[in-house]
């Protein structure tokens, strides 16, 4: 008995010693009056002198988290709160649970901190480590239920190294998958934030990596094979063959996440050395080196990749920037004529010349060096060029699957079910740019080339493979830098009407895209968090009618965060 007491005392003392640094670092502070936070509201408050915390009230329960989105640092209190406990970033669609801080939606690369909150004598008290309330410490390490270190005999092989791959790895380990994970990537680095390439021409992959190769290996138990070209998949023996047949690896479950390959127009001169497509770090290096003061750039294609590059080099003092497009105005097919026309005016004010409603005839080589392009011929006119960007879309990178028993769609995509599983294949999933997947409301299959879609695909299949099947039902979201930040959510490619609130020429507007009498997509500039709110209204089936919007109804006035709103959603 005496021995047991001594042993218990020893264990208790050791435990207190180990926990003392953590206990001592916690502080409980009264941050505001309870009356300042009503049901369905959120509020950013100070924690000590430099820290920030966001409070949320859902019915009678108060939650507290760190204050900034882990994607690009947006203040979460300026985002959108929902009655089912989600807070949506005001900028790019990242979403977190206010109860746990866990990631709900991409592109968030890490969770946020969750703190204890309670009411004492009419004051809201928050208990937190002050250091975790600082913006510099806004990210919380993932709660990995497994690191795969012990191994289980199971294995997932992922072909591809982009957004879907990164989020699939995170999701697999978060949800307890204990098997081996192997990544086969053509790129020479771990998964990166590819969106920054066209927006900022970053040329150092280490500045864009979500996780280092060492972290993927040590913390996630993942084997990363870079610079690998997969040549075939043997689904009968469950083998992935790569590097011209020199190597192969077996799998229990296969995730196809190859993304897209940039198109090259089938015209004379498209393969000349200074004609660049754009997707990779190597492409960014080429364009960065070429886009120097006094040089002449021609962009073929007037959509997002090409126009983001135009913005990225606009202040470099180029001699000329010419943009060639098939539409009457840039972005018109997706954003509508009025928005496209206003964005065109903005770019023209920055010195960009457009050649629209036309097609490229050919690219002509330089007389002094026939390996280089010297100009682009449009309508019989030659536009001089020191380098050319071919931004005319991508095709699914699925060529190697044609001989592997996969049935491909006409565009090279792969049809999947609601769980993103490839039809007719055993334990094979397809995600991201290559996946034709059923839409939530219509069941119609579409292939969507959005960064957020790929990330959320990865999160969904990770959860499914780990044993908790997750049907995919996310609203597509994307953004683009076009002088001001453009936000967009939904599926508006087939719009038959556009409702505009605001002034598109001032690039301060909200555009509602209507299809068959329903609003199916929303875009905005300088109106945050309207698109974040719109994405949640689309998710919940609460988007106002076109008539209500024409009558002046504001999305921000619609209640989706109180207890009564939750009851309404549940009754719909």
């Amino acid at each position: 008995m005496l021995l047991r007491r001594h042993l218990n005392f020893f264990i208790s003392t050791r435990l207190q010693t180990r926990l003392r640094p953590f206990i001592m670092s916690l502080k409980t502070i009264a941050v505001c009056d309870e009356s300042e936070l009503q049901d369905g509201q959120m509020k950013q408050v100070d924690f000590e002198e430099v820290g920030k915390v966001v409070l949320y009230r859902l019915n009678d329960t108060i939650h507290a988290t760190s204050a900034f989105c882990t994607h690009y640092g947006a203040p979460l209190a300026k985002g959108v709160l929902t009655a089912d406990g989600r807070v949506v970033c005001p900028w790019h669609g990242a979403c977190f649970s206010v109860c746990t801080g866990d990631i709900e939606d991409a592109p968030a690369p890490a969770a946020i901190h969750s703190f204890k909150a309670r009411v004492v004598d009419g004051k809201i008290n928050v208990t937190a480590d002050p250091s975790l309330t600082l913006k510099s410490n806004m990210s919380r390490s993932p709660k990995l239920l497994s690191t795969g270190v012990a191994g289980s005999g199971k294995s997932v092989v992922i072909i591809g190294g982009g957004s879907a791959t990164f989020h699939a790895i995170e999701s697999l380990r978060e949800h307890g998958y204990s098997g081996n994970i192997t990544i086969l990537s053509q790129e020479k680095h771990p998964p990166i934030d590819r969106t920054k390439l066209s927006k900022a021409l970053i040329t150092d992959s280490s500045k864009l990596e979500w996780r280092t190769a060492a972290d993927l290996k040590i913390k996630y138990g993942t084997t990363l094979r870079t610079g690998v070209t997969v040549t075939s998949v043997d689904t009968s023996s469950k083998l992935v063959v790569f590097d011209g047949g020199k190597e192969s690896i077996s799998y229990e479950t296969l995730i196809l996440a190859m993304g897209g390959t940039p198109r090259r127009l089938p015209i004379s001169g498209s393969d000349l050395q200074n004609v660049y497509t754009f997707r990779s770090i190597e492409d960014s290096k080429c364009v960065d080196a070429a886009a120097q003061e006094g040089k002449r750039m021609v962009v073929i294609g007037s959509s997002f990749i090409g126009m983001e590059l135009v913005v990225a080099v606009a202040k470099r003092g180029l001699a000329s920037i010419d943009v060639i497009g098939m539409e009457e105005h840039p972005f018109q097919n997706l954003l509508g004529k009025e928005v496209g026309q206003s964005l065109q005016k903005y770019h023209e004010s920055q010195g960009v010349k457009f050649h629209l409603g036309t097609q490229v005839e050919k690219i002509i080589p330089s007389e002094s060096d026939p390996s280089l392009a010297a100009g682009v011929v449009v309508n019989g006119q030659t536009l001089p060029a020191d380098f050319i960007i071919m931004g005319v879309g991508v095709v699914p990178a699925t060529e190697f699957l044609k001989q592997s028993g996969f049935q491909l769609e006409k565009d090279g995509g792969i049809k999947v079910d609601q769980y993103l599983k490839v039809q007719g294949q055993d334990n094979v999933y397809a995600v991201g740019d290559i996946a034709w997947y059923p839409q939530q409301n219509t069941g119609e299959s579409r292939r969507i080339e959005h960064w957020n879609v790929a990330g959320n695909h990865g999160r969904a299949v990770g959860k499914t493979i780990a044993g908790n099947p997750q049907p995919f039902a996310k609203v597509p979201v994307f953004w683009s830098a076009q002088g001001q930040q453009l936000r967009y959510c939904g599926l508006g490619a087939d719009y038959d009407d556009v409702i505009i609130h605001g002034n598109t020429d001032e690039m301060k507007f909200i555009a509602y895209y209507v299809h068959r009498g329903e609003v199916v997509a929303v875009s905005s500039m300088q109106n945050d968090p309207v698109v974040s709110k719109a994405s949640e209204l689309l998710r919940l089936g609460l988007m106002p009618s076109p008539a209500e919007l024409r009558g002046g109804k504001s999305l921000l006035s619609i209640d989706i965060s109180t207890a009564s709103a939750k009851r309404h959603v549940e009754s719909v």
Side-chain angles (χ1 to χ4, degrees):
M1 190 70 174
L2 184 62
L3 179 62
R4 182 179 296 175
R5 285 179 181 174
H6 282 297
L7 184 60
N8 287 341
F9 175 78
F10 174 76
I11 292 172
S12 176
T13 303
R14 288 291 300 273
L15 186 61
Q16 288 179 30
T17 301
R18 289 189 177 188
L19 290 177
R20 187 173 293 122
F22 300 98
I23 296 171
M24 293 293 288
S25 65
L26 292 177
K27 288 189 176 182
T28 298
I29 297 176
V31 292
C32 70
D33 292 335
E34 181 188 8
S35 60
E36 295 179 51
L37 192 69
Q38 301 301 311
D39 180 27
Q41 291 183 341
M42 57 181 168
K43 179 181 178 67
Q44 180 175 295
V45 295
D46 293 333
F47 195 90
E48 292 199 314
E49 294 182 2
V50 293
K52 304 290 181 186
V53 169
V54 178
L55 304 175
Y56 315 85
R57 186 165 197 152
L58 298 176
N59 204 351
D60 293 328
T61 304
I62 296 173
H63 303 279
T65 72
S66 45
F68 303 98
C69 177
T70 58
H71 182 225
Y72 290 168
L76 292 174
K78 293 186 177 181
V80 175
L81 176 65
T82 68
D84 53 353
R86 292 159 55 91
V87 60
V88 187
C89 166
W91 294 352
H92 305 125
C95 179
F96 307 89
S97 166
V98 303
C99 305
T100 64
D102 291 342
I103 299 170
E104 292 279 327
D105 291 343
I112 56 177
H113 300 284
S114 177
F115 306 123
K116 182 180 178 180
R118 61 193 181 104
V119 177
V120 178
D121 298 330
K123 300 281 188 180
I124 298 176
N125 284 245
V126 174
T127 302
D129 177 341
S131 68
L132 301 183
T133 68
L134 303 177
K135 190 172 185 179
S136 57
N137 290 330
M138 61 189 174
S139 297
R140 188 198 80 204
S141 297
K143 297 176 181 177
L144 302 181
L145 298 182
S146 176
T147 60
V149 174
S152 65
K154 299 184 293 184
S155 65
V156 169
V157 172
I158 308 174
I159 304 176
S163 173
T165 294
F166 165 70
H167 285 283
I169 295 166
E170 291 274 329
S171 184
L172 283 163
R173 295 308 190 207
E174 281 176 16
H175 294 102
Y177 181 79
S178 59
N180 297 318
I181 301 175
T182 301
I183 306 167
L184 303 176
S185 174
Q186 274 194 313
E187 296 178 285
K188 299 176 182 178
H189 46 73
I192 60 171
D193 184 358
R194 198 184 307 280
T195 62
K196 287 185 176 179
L197 292 180
S198 58
K199 294 174 176 65
L201 277 181
I202 294 173
T203 58
D204 182 353
S205 64
S206 67
K207 295 179 179 179
L208 300 176
E209 292 172 1
W210 289 126
R211 300 286 184 270
T212 65
D215 277 349
L216 290 174
K217 179 66 176 178
I218 297 168
K219 295 181 181 179
Y220 294 83
T222 298
T223 300
L224 172 64
R225 299 285 302 269
T226 58
V228 168
T229 300
V230 173
T231 50
S232 65
V233 175
D234 185 339
T235 55
S236 60
S237 57
K238 293 195 170 183
L239 282 176
V240 177
V241 180
F242 52 99
D243 285 350
K246 296 177 183 177
E247 291 192 67
S248 65
I249 185 171
S250 62
Y251 66 86
E252 179 186 62
T253 302
L254 178 65
I255 302 175
L256 302 172
M258 295 84 69
T261 301
R263 297 177 189 268
R264 282 188 182 269
L265 294 179
I267 57 173
S268 175
S270 66
D271 58 349
L272 293 172
Q273 288 181 15
N274 56 342
V275 178
Y276 306 120
T277 56
F278 199 89
R279 186 177 185 272
S280 66
I281 285 284
E282 287 68 29
D283 297 331
S284 190
K285 289 177 180 179
C286 289
V287 174
D288 179 64
Q292 300 301 316
E293 184 176 354
K295 299 298 183 181
R296 301 163 299 180
M297 178 172 84
V298 173
V299 177
I300 301 173
S302 59
S303 196
F304 291 99
I305 291 295
M307 295 309 301
E308 285 180 354
L309 288 170
V310 166
V311 173
V313 304
K315 305 300 183 184
R316 292 192 174 197
L318 271 65
S320 62
I321 301 176
D322 290 274
V323 176
I324 304 164
M326 296 176 65
E327 302 170 279
E328 182 182 359
H329 300 288
F331 313 108
Q332 181 171 329
N333 288 347
L334 184 63
L335 300 181
K337 182 174 181 178
E338 189 172 342
V339 174
Q341 193 171 34
S342 295
L343 291 176
Q344 180 180 339
K345 287 179 183 178
Y346 164 75
H347 286 294
E348 287 173 337
S349 75
Q350 303 300 303
V352 179
K353 296 179 181 178
F354 286 90
H355 310 266
L356 299 168
T358 187
Q359 297 185 29
V360 175
E361 296 174 24
K362 61 181 177 179
I363 297 171
I364 57 174
S366 167
E367 292 183 0
S368 60
D369 186 349
S371 68
L372 298 176
V376 181
V377 179
V378 179
N379 295 333
Q381 175 191 3
T382 299
L383 306 176
D386 293 302
F387 67 102
I388 298 164
I389 307 293
M390 198 169 282
V392 291
V394 301
V395 295
T398 56
E399 187 69 25
F400 70 92
L401 294 177
K402 288 182 178 179
Q403 308 303 319
S404 300
F406 285 82
Q407 182 177 347
L408 304 181
E409 300 299 298
K410 289 182 179 180
D411 66 350
I414 305 173
K415 203 164 189 177
V416 297
D417 64 15
Q418 63 178 331
Y419 297 98
L420 304 172
K421 195 170 185 179
V422 178
Q423 298 176 1
Q425 298 291 346
D426 181 31
N427 285 349
V428 179
Y429 297 83
V431 293
D433 291 359
I434 67 173
W436 279 87
Y437 69 96
Q439 303 306 303
Q440 182 178 4
N441 295 327
T442 65
E444 171 195 11
S445 286
R446 292 200 183 201
R447 190 175 65 81
I448 299 175
E449 299 166 0
H450 293 346
W451 186 251
N452 281 30
V453 170
N456 283 322
H457 276 181
R459 295 195 63 80
V461 297
K463 192 172 183 179
T464 294
I465 294 166
N468 187 358
Q470 179 71 53
F472 188 79
K474 302 290 185 182
V475 175
V477 174
F478 77 85
W479 68 96
S480 181
Q482 297 297 326
Q484 295 290 342
Q485 290 295 316
L486 173 75
R487 323 279 191 209
Y488 183 100
C489 72
L491 292 168
D494 298 326
Y495 68 87
D496 48 50
D497 193 12
V498 184
I499 301 167
I500 303 287
H501 289 177
N503 190 325
T504 57
D505 284 342
E506 294 176 359
M507 296 201 295
K508 190 173 184 178
F509 65 87
I510 306 167
Y512 302 93
Y513 301 91
V514 181
H515 179 64
R516 296 178 180 175
E518 293 185 1
V519 175
V520 294
V522 178
S523 71
S524 78
M525 280 182 150
Q526 299 189 78
N527 271 283
D528 296 336
V530 164
V531 164
S532 295
K533 184 66 170 280
S535 69
E536 290 301 289
L537 291 169
L538 287 169
R539 176 179 73 90
L540 297 168
L542 297 177
M543 180 63 70
S545 69
E548 290 176 300
L549 293 168
R550 287 191 179 93
K553 191 175 186 70
S554 166
L555 299 191
L556 298 181
S557 69
I558 300 171
D559 176 18
I560 59 172
S561 58
T562 65
S564 59
K566 186 175 183 180
R567 288 192 295 271
H568 175 64
V569 171
E570 291 171 348
S571 68
V572 173

